[in-house]
Amino acid sequence: FIGGIYMSGKNLKLTRIRYEIPQWRLAQAMRITPSLLSAWENERVPIPEEKEKLYLKKLNELRKDDLNEEATI
């Protein structure tokens, strides 16, 4: 993909799993259904560029929240 981030759905999914963010939690943060998120991650439906950017933004926000919670425990 030229001019954008473009990661495959599988790479997005692997990143989410590596960050230990459940699919339902990311879907909730993005205000989409878990089934749509699954369709993107399993490449049944292409993810629009703006949604890919939102995916990565929300994933990083959730990860930072989790890291902050762990630091305060």
Side-chain angles (χ1 to χ4, degrees):
F1 180 78
I2 298 171
I5 301 165
Y6 192 72
M7 290 175 65
S8 72
K10 289 178 184 175
N11 284 333
L12 290 170
K13 181 178 183 177
L14 289 172
T15 302
R16 178 181 57 74
I17 291 168
R18 195 173 309 123
Y19 287 1
E20 298 180 357
I21 305 296
Q23 189 178 63
W24 67 266
R25 193 162 167 227
L26 180 58
Q28 186 177 56
M30 293 180 68
R31 299 177 189 247
I32 61 170
T33 63
S35 61
L36 178 57
L37 185 57
S38 175
W40 289 341
E41 289 183 342
N42 292 300
E43 300 179 353
R44 291 189 305 272
V45 176
I47 183 170
E49 182 182 355
E50 69 277 2
K51 294 297 185 185
E52 179 184 2
K53 290 177 184 176
L54 180 63
Y55 183 109
L56 293 170
K57 178 183 176 197
K58 293 297 182 182
L59 191 63
N60 284 317
E61 287 174 5
L62 290 170
R63 183 171 185 232
K64 285 179 189 174
D65 288 348
D66 285 352
L67 292 175
N68 287 338
E69 283 180 21
E70 287 176 15
T72 59
I73 294 175

